Amino acid sequence: MAQIHVTGVAGQQYAQGDAGYDDANYQYATSSEGDLHDMHPGLIIQPNPADAIHDIVQTLKYAKGTKTAVAIRTGGHQYSGASSSGPANILLDLQHAFRDATDRQLLPLDQARKTHLRTSVSWSLNEFNSYLGSQTPGYFVPHGQCYYVNLGGHVQTGGYGPLGRSFGLLGDFVTELEIVNPEAPDFKKIINRVTDPKMFYAILGGSPGNFGVLTHFTIRLNCDDDYKGAQGRKIAWYYEPRKFEYLLGQLAKISDEGNLPRCYDICVNVVSKSWKGFFPWKELEDRLSDDYDRNPDLPQDDKIQFYCPLIAVFAQYVPFEGSPPFDKHVFDQFSSWFHGGIDLPLSNQKLDEPVSKIYRNWLTPVHREFDHPYVKRTYLTNSTSLSTNGWVTAVSEQVDKIIRSDNCYTSCQFQYFGGQHAQFRNNADNGTSYSWRDSTFCCTMDCFHEDSDAAREFARQWQRENDLIAHGDAQTPGLYSDQDRRVLWGSYSKEGEDWSLDATRDYYFEPGEHSERTKYKALQAARASADPDGIYTPNVFSVKRSESSA
């Protein structure tokens, strides 16, 4: 196959075999899906930041003229490699394209006296969060936890994060989108709920990169001064099976009851041995370091690497107008464990700061959890029986199984999103297409395995068992959800399952009334309108265009 090259592009171009190609091609999923999902684009283009729009326009014109597909990445953290493509196609890498002063600007107050931010897709969540918190007063919006996820894919897939229950998703706060239009005089198209509601709907919740090249968006901000009295709690425990089961059971019970005020967000995490600085947590580091000093039998070569598995609970209270005052009992039930006596955590750090400052504590300053290939799962459910139907015990046994493994590692997260007061649910039907907004609980169970056949099979078998517990099979009912609900940012395919989004659409998008797949049909129509030439179809994990235009 002849090498692809786009004339008129001032930025870097890397073809297969070029020096620098492998580094430019690396994404989060490369270790696990690189060959399976053909993450080897024929050409990688990194637009020149001095005139990135020009390079993008040249790329799109070339793609249209040669019928070449274009994949788009900003941070490259899509779990199954959907932000890449194969040898016949182009990868447009925007992670450094839009990063000057004009690509991140606070806007004047609107008529409702709300502050907005126009930002590019090229900033990482760490940079985005730091910028908002550095203002006076500080600002915040809900978003994810990983430092190195960038805003482009994150906002298009929702922007799930620690404040998902009390505030909703990052995308719920978007008011305007900017995509590249090669035919416009300024090469720009502005999209909002008024000018183009169908495309606004499609971009915010449809498959990222299927509807055009998103470069910037405008978002409504929340101000620290409007939420005085916020509190947070970071609670860490040495991992013990019964302790984890108790804490998960407490969270499941709260979820099932469904009446916790909107003010609270709670997440239970468990991580394997040899985790490296997942959380910026000096109090915990000091305590663990002291424990290591007192126990010479523990490995001493890198105390900050922490060879012990840990449980971490993140909890936050944000006051709203008319909301009940802070109830310390909500947090206290995660900071003590009674089993014939009281057991106290390693660390119980109280955070009495503005929301923007508390938020920094939930971010994880690592590129990836473990430096190994993985098999991942993220499950949603609207169940209200998790605390009573055996799910807590079954999942706790699964977690313990991998914690005790010699060649696999896990990072699991269990977060309560639901209840009658949850903004995750109440923000539905706001002009976006994010799916499964009636969900009550989100469960992420990731297995990283050493590069051996035995470890790989252990990881796959562990996830087979998790799938059975979650959704059951023809003989056994699932304990977690009656539906297989998945998220685009955490997409996965089971062994033997078609990876294409069209084949798995009912897992990612609600079927709609009378099973007519009304949401997916709307996305298909938007794709046909936005991409009549099919250049935004870099792989099979793409919304299929309407049959009449495909």
Side-chain angles (χ1 to χ4, degrees), residues 524-540:
Q524 287 185 287
R527 267 226 66 198
S529 172
D531 186 24
D533 301 297
I535 65 173
Y536 299 120
T537 312
N539 50 58
V540 297

Side-chain angles (χ1 to χ4, degrees), residues 229-274:
Q231 297 194 41
R233 193 77 63 86
K234 295 170 67 176
I235 306 165
W237 302 83
Y238 281 127
Y239 170 80
E240 293 178 24
R242 290 185 301 162
K243 190 181 300 178
F244 173 70
E245 184 173 353
Y246 166 78
L247 294 169
L248 182 59
Q250 291 296 103
L251 187 62
K253 183 171 183 270
I254 289 173
S255 177
D256 289 349
E257 291 171 348
N259 56 13
L260 193 68
R262 173 189 172 184
C263 321
Y264 296 94
D265 287 272
I266 306 169
C267 180
V268 175
N269 309 267
V270 60
V271 290
S272 289
K273 60 187 177 182
S274 298

Side-chain angles (χ1 to χ4, degrees), residues 5 92 154 169 370 449 530:
H5 181 82
L92 189 58
H154 192 61
L169 301 177
F370 298 96
H449 59 84

Side-chain angles (χ1 to χ4, degrees), residues 167-169 171-174 193 197 200-202 204-205 422-439 510 512-513 518-519 522:
F167 285 88
L169 301 177
D172 293 336
F173 291 80
V174 172
R193 289 178 174 89
F200 188 88
Y201 174 87
L204 296 179
Q423 289 305 106
F424 180 81
R425 184 184 74 171
N426 295 336
N427 285 346
D429 301 320
N430 64 355
T432 66
S433 57
Y434 304 121
S435 291
W436 309 122
R437 297 303 290 260
D438 66 331
S439 296
E510 299 96 337
E513 295 182 6
T518 51
K519 175 177 286 188

